[in-house]
Amino acid sequence: MEEKTVEMITKLVMEAMNQKSTNEGFAVPVGVSARHIHLTKEDVETLFGKGYELTKKKELMGGQYAANELVTIVGIKLRAIENVRILGPVRKASQVEISATDSIKLGIKAPIRESGDIKGSAPIAVVGPKGVVYLQEGCIIAKRHIHMSPADAKEAGVNNGDTVSVQVENERGTTFNHVSIRVDESFTLEMHIDTDEANAAKIATGNIVRILK
């Protein structure tokens, strides 16, 4: 076989491989996020007693952790969900993150929001062993998002604050649109979705999805 022919075939094969890689998109592991709550120091003390501090159960990314402490959340007409885990450390504002199914069960209209964007969100009551906190606002359905380090973002060709679409390659063949990108040195690569989204797409924590180009 002539040298030029070999070079041409090699070039075509490399181009096909590169095209296949591009079409597949950037791979991201999934983390399914169950309902949880973030609390201020003041609200922790109201719920668990003066001077109480959360105790750590499991380390999470970005300096967060799952606490051992659980609370009950209550919507209108006294509809409640028990054993909602608290995530630490304490924050400047308390925030409850639930699924759309939880929102229906509680009888409230929780909006889909980025974490921290609680202005005008749904009211909810939080019950602990020592007291009750009533939040005038603070209950949301978390907007689906991907955590990334700067190195991951560079490799994926995205920036903090970008919005992308993500493909789930299984028998459901689901595409998630409006997925926010969050970039920070402390982040581990992971896409966070709630239990409703995971069940609908038939995926679980550890499954791989791909950012569409």
Side-chain angles (χ1 to χ4, degrees):
M1 188 178 294
E2 294 184 4
E3 184 177 345
K4 287 185 178 180
T5 303
V6 173
E7 289 179 357
M8 183 178 295
I9 293 173
T10 301
K11 183 180 179 181
L12 291 172
V13 169
M14 290 300 296
E15 287 178 350
M17 289 178 65
N18 288 335
Q19 183 64 38
K20 183 176 184 293
S21 177
T22 299
N23 288 340
E24 286 180 346
F26 185 77
V28 181
V30 171
V32 180
S33 181
R35 67 181 75 96
H36 59 273
I37 181 170
H38 303 275
L39 294 170
T40 63
K41 183 178 185 300
E42 293 74 19
D43 287 346
V44 168
E45 292 188 344
T46 298
L47 295 170
F48 294 93
K50 189 68 175 177
Y52 192 91
E53 295 186 0
L54 298 173
T55 58
K56 192 176 298 184
K57 177 181 175 68
K58 180 183 178 182
E59 292 281 356
L60 303 174
M61 74 172 72
Q64 294 191 95
Y65 61 87
N68 289 299
E69 289 76 15
L70 305 172
V71 293
T72 297
I73 54 176
V74 184
I76 62 174
K77 298 182 180 178
L78 300 181
R79 297 176 184 174
I81 296 176
E82 299 179 333
N83 298 321
V84 178
R85 189 164 303 281
I86 300 171
L87 299 192
V90 294
R91 290 191 174 188
K92 294 181 179 179
S94 292
Q95 172 181 297
V96 181
E97 296 182 33
I98 61 175
S99 69
T101 298
D102 292 339
S103 183
I104 294 169
K105 180 177 180 179
L106 292 168
I108 61 177
K109 295 182 179 180
I112 298 173
R113 297 279 185 84
E114 295 275 5
S115 180
D117 181 11
I118 61 173
K119 185 176 177 60
S121 58
I124 196 165
V126 183
V127 182
K130 299 291 186 178
V132 179
V133 171
Y134 181 75
L135 302 177
Q136 296 285 349
E137 59 185 16
C139 187
I140 65 170
I141 299 169
K143 183 178 181 182
R144 60 183 77 110
H145 56 277
I146 298 174
H147 289 283
M148 287 184 167
S149 67
D152 289 327
K154 183 177 181 180
E155 185 177 350
V158 296
N159 298 296
N160 186 52
D162 283 355
T163 299
V164 298
S165 293
V166 171
Q167 179 68 47
V168 180
E169 297 172 345
N170 61 14
E171 60 267 41
R172 283 291 174 90
T174 308
T175 299
F176 288 112
N177 297 317
H178 311 300
V179 182
S180 298
I181 299 294
R182 299 181 188 172
V183 181
D184 190 271
E185 288 284 1
S186 65
F187 289 163
T188 302
L189 182 64
E190 194 169 61
M191 176 178 172
H192 285 178
I193 57 177
D194 65 32
T195 51
D196 281 359
E197 294 171 314
N199 290 337
K202 202 175 182 181
I203 52 179
T205 293
N207 288 171
I208 300 299
V209 297
R210 296 184 182 277
I211 297 175
L212 297 177
K213 295 293 184 179

mmCIF file of all heavy atoms in Angstrom, residues 119-136:
data_model
loop_
_atom_site.group_PDB
_atom_site.id
_atom_site.type_symbol
_atom_site.label_atom_id
_atom_site.label_comp_id
_atom_site.label_asym_id
_atom_site.label_seq_id
_atom_site.Cartn_x
_atom_site.Cartn_y
_atom_site.Cartn_z
ATOM 1 N N LYS A 119 -35.914 34.336 47.662
ATOM 2 C CA LYS A 119 -36.824 35.475 47.774
ATOM 3 C C LYS A 119 -38.168 35.154 47.122
ATOM 4 O O LYS A 119 -38.235 34.777 45.958
ATOM 5 C CB LYS A 119 -36.220 36.717 47.121
ATOM 6 C CG LYS A 119 -37.057 37.979 47.306
ATOM 7 C CD LYS A 119 -36.358 39.191 46.728
ATOM 8 C CE LYS A 119 -37.212 40.447 46.839
ATOM 9 N NZ LYS A 119 -37.556 40.778 48.235
ATOM 10 N N GLY A 120 -39.235 35.257 47.887
ATOM 11 C CA GLY A 120 -40.566 34.997 47.358
ATOM 12 C C GLY A 120 -40.882 33.524 47.183
ATOM 13 O O GLY A 120 -41.900 33.189 46.569
ATOM 14 N N SER A 121 -40.043 32.637 47.721
ATOM 15 C CA SER A 121 -40.312 31.200 47.593
ATOM 16 C C SER A 121 -41.354 30.758 48.620
ATOM 17 O O SER A 121 -41.876 31.568 49.379
ATOM 18 C CB SER A 121 -39.012 30.396 47.749
ATOM 19 O OG SER A 121 -38.398 30.664 48.995
ATOM 20 N N ALA A 122 -41.649 29.476 48.650
ATOM 21 C CA ALA A 122 -42.768 28.974 49.453
ATOM 22 C C ALA A 122 -42.473 28.996 50.958
ATOM 23 O O ALA A 122 -41.352 28.722 51.386
ATOM 24 C CB ALA A 122 -43.102 27.549 49.034
ATOM 25 N N PRO A 123 -43.486 29.307 51.761
ATOM 26 C CA PRO A 123 -43.340 29.235 53.222
ATOM 27 C C PRO A 123 -43.440 27.788 53.695
ATOM 28 O O PRO A 123 -44.064 26.949 53.028
ATOM 29 C CB PRO A 123 -44.527 30.052 53.722
ATOM 30 C CG PRO A 123 -45.565 29.869 52.663
ATOM 31 C CD PRO A 123 -44.814 29.801 51.356
ATOM 32 N N ILE A 124 -42.816 27.505 54.829
ATOM 33 C CA ILE A 124 -42.861 26.148 55.371
ATOM 34 C C ILE A 124 -42.482 26.179 56.843
ATOM 35 O O ILE A 124 -41.743 27.076 57.284
ATOM 36 C CB ILE A 124 -41.912 25.208 54.580
ATOM 37 C CG1 ILE A 124 -42.245 23.744 54.859
ATOM 38 C CG2 ILE A 124 -40.441 25.523 54.880
ATOM 39 C CD1 ILE A 124 -41.616 22.792 53.865
ATOM 40 N N ALA A 125 -42.984 25.220 57.601
ATOM 41 C CA ALA A 125 -42.631 25.095 59.014
ATOM 42 C C ALA A 125 -41.658 23.940 59.196
ATOM 43 O O ALA A 125 -41.747 22.923 58.497
ATOM 44 C CB ALA A 125 -43.871 24.869 59.863
ATOM 45 N N VAL A 126 -40.719 24.113 60.118
ATOM 46 C CA VAL A 126 -39.727 23.079 60.417
ATOM 47 C C VAL A 126 -39.837 22.736 61.898
ATOM 48 O O VAL A 126 -39.780 23.613 62.753
ATOM 49 C CB VAL A 126 -38.300 23.564 60.094
ATOM 50 C CG1 VAL A 126 -37.288 22.438 60.334
ATOM 51 C CG2 VAL A 126 -38.203 24.076 58.664
ATOM 52 N N VAL A 127 -39.990 21.441 62.184
ATOM 53 C CA VAL A 127 -40.203 21.000 63.564
ATOM 54 C C VAL A 127 -39.019 20.164 64.037
ATOM 55 O O VAL A 127 -38.624 19.188 63.386
ATOM 56 C CB VAL A 127 -41.490 20.163 63.677
ATOM 57 C CG1 VAL A 127 -41.726 19.741 65.131
ATOM 58 C CG2 VAL A 127 -42.688 20.932 63.139
ATOM 59 N N GLY A 128 -38.449 20.569 65.166
ATOM 60 C CA GLY A 128 -37.354 19.817 65.780
ATOM 61 C C GLY A 128 -37.761 19.320 67.148
ATOM 62 O O GLY A 128 -38.884 19.553 67.598
ATOM 63 N N PRO A 129 -36.859 18.648 67.866
ATOM 64 C CA PRO A 129 -37.190 18.099 69.185
ATOM 65 C C PRO A 129 -37.409 19.153 70.259
ATOM 66 O O PRO A 129 -38.056 18.877 71.274
ATOM 67 C CB PRO A 129 -35.979 17.223 69.512
ATOM 68 C CG PRO A 129 -34.870 17.781 68.686
ATOM 69 C CD PRO A 129 -35.501 18.257 67.425
ATOM 70 N N LYS A 130 -36.894 20.378 70.049
ATOM 71 C CA LYS A 130 -36.998 21.414 71.081
ATOM 72 C C LYS A 130 -37.840 22.618 70.679
ATOM 73 O O LYS A 130 -38.095 23.504 71.500
ATOM 74 C CB LYS A 130 -35.589 21.915 71.455
ATOM 75 C CG LYS A 130 -34.673 20.852 72.024
ATOM 76 C CD LYS A 130 -35.124 20.401 73.393
ATOM 77 C CE LYS A 130 -34.108 19.437 74.001
ATOM 78 N NZ LYS A 130 -34.494 19.007 75.356
ATOM 79 N N GLY A 131 -38.243 22.680 69.398
ATOM 80 C CA GLY A 131 -39.004 23.850 68.974
ATOM 81 C C GLY A 131 -39.400 23.800 67.513
ATOM 82 O O GLY A 131 -39.141 22.818 66.805
ATOM 83 N N VAL A 132 -40.044 24.883 67.080
ATOM 84 C CA VAL A 132 -40.546 24.988 65.709
ATOM 85 C C VAL A 132 -40.074 26.303 65.087
ATOM 86 O O VAL A 132 -40.082 27.347 65.746
ATOM 87 C CB VAL A 132 -42.089 24.946 65.676
ATOM 88 C CG1 VAL A 132 -42.603 25.083 64.245
ATOM 89 C CG2 VAL A 132 -42.605 23.657 66.305
ATOM 90 N N VAL A 133 -39.676 26.227 63.822
ATOM 91 C CA VAL A 133 -39.302 27.422 63.051
ATOM 92 C C VAL A 133 -40.288 27.558 61.900
ATOM 93 O O VAL A 133 -40.516 26.587 61.160
ATOM 94 C CB VAL A 133 -37.869 27.310 62.498
ATOM 95 C CG1 VAL A 133 -37.580 28.446 61.525
ATOM 96 C CG2 VAL A 133 -36.854 27.315 63.627
ATOM 97 N N TYR A 134 -40.868 28.753 61.744
ATOM 98 C CA TYR A 134 -41.745 29.004 60.604
ATOM 99 C C TYR A 134 -41.020 29.920 59.632
ATOM 100 O O TYR A 134 -40.693 31.067 59.965
ATOM 101 C CB TYR A 134 -43.061 29.632 61.035
ATOM 102 C CG TYR A 134 -43.992 29.869 59.860
ATOM 103 C CD1 TYR A 134 -44.666 28.806 59.260
ATOM 104 C CD2 TYR A 134 -44.153 31.148 59.318
ATOM 105 C CE1 TYR A 134 -45.492 29.008 58.162
ATOM 106 C CE2 TYR A 134 -44.979 31.355 58.216
ATOM 107 C CZ TYR A 134 -45.644 30.279 57.643
ATOM 108 O OH TYR A 134 -46.453 30.475 56.546
ATOM 109 N N LEU A 135 -40.741 29.411 58.435
ATOM 110 C CA LEU A 135 -40.062 30.199 57.408
ATOM 111 C C LEU A 135 -41.102 30.854 56.511
ATOM 112 O O LEU A 135 -41.886 30.167 55.849
ATOM 113 C CB LEU A 135 -39.143 29.304 56.569
ATOM 114 C CG LEU A 135 -38.050 28.523 57.332
ATOM 115 C CD1 LEU A 135 -37.286 27.625 56.369
ATOM 116 C CD2 LEU A 135 -37.112 29.480 58.046
ATOM 117 N N GLN A 136 -41.105 32.171 56.482
ATOM 118 C CA GLN A 136 -42.025 32.906 55.602
ATOM 119 C C GLN A 136 -41.706 32.632 54.137
ATOM 120 O O GLN A 136 -42.580 32.668 53.274
ATOM 121 C CB GLN A 136 -41.921 34.410 55.880
ATOM 122 C CG GLN A 136 -42.357 34.822 57.276
ATOM 123 C CD GLN A 136 -43.857 34.794 57.446
ATOM 124 O OE1 GLN A 136 -44.611 34.666 56.470
ATOM 125 N NE2 GLN A 136 -44.318 34.909 58.677
#
